[in-house]
Amino acid sequence: MADPTWLHRHVHEPNPIVPTPDPTVILAHPDGSEQAVGVEDLARLPQQTAAGCYIVSTGHGTTGPFTFSGAALADLIAAQVGDGWEYADVIAGDGFGNRVFARELPQPPARPILLATGIDGQPMSRQAGLVRLIVPNETDDALRQVKWVARIEVH
Ligand SMILES: Nc1nc2c(c(=O)[nH]1)N[C@H]1C(S)=C(S)[C@@H](COP(=O)(O)O)O[C@H]1N2
Ligand SMILES: [Mo]
């Protein structure tokens, strides 16, 4: 498949419009099979936190710090797909997305890349991005904080 446009060209105006009410994520395996992953499935994985995260927006300025919580992206893939993956495209219902490479995964004690379902100790609302990708070492413009993750395509 050709690289999606969002790999190369980002709009940096946050979209506030929730695309669909359902937070279920479709996990697409390298063999083409797909499975639905609900918020309750993510809650069964080890819960991790990433403190000191900011949302840096051209639209509304900088907010935070926030402590995001949820399952690590790597833990979901390890549990459902296995190892040996190269990258995962994390795609939102509004067409926004980001590619996460296995080789860039932070090693503990660095803050993990999360599929966040909580913020500051509370369940995250759909409006706030449930399920929201958090790449803690991205601090410039929140362009990797994919809100409303709808698909994760593992390659
Ligand atoms: N699905 C989706 N996620 C997105 C965006 C978007 O347009 N769509 N914009 C990004 C940008 S540029 C910013 S600054 C933040 C804004 O997050 P907020 O709306 O929760 O403040 O969301 C990021 N994630
Ligand atoms: Mo942004």
Side-chain angles (χ1 to χ4, degrees), residues 37-119:
V37 177
V39 171
E40 66 285 359
D41 299 314
L42 294 174
R44 279 188 217 107
L45 291 164
Q47 298 298 292
Q48 304 206 50
T49 57
C53 296
Y54 291 85
I55 301 172
V56 179
S57 169
T58 45
H60 58 58
T62 299
T63 51
F66 301 105
T67 299
F68 291 104
S69 55
L73 172 68
D75 287 347
L76 174 70
I77 296 175
Q80 300 298 332
V81 179
D83 53 16
W85 58 283
E86 187 190 347
Y87 63 90
D89 286 336
V90 180
I91 306 165
D94 65 353
F96 198 82
N98 198 256
R99 180 167 289 179
V100 176
F101 291 88
R103 65 171 183 270
E104 66 165 323
L105 290 175
Q107 297 306 311
R111 295 173 301 168
I113 296 177
L114 295 179
L115 294 168
T117 51
I119 177 169

Side-chain angles (χ1 to χ4, degrees), residues 1-53:
M1 190 187 83
D3 285 349
T5 52
W6 45 256
L7 271 181
H8 309 290
R9 192 187 122 266
H10 269 305
V11 284
H12 186 36
E13 274 305 313
N15 172 18
I17 314 285
V18 176
T20 57
D22 183 355
T24 304
V25 176
I26 300 299
L27 181 65
H29 293 232
D31 67 5
S33 64
E34 297 187 354
Q35 73 183 107
V37 177
V39 171
E40 66 285 359
D41 299 314
L42 294 174
R44 279 188 217 107
L45 291 164
Q47 298 298 292
Q48 304 206 50
T49 57
C53 296

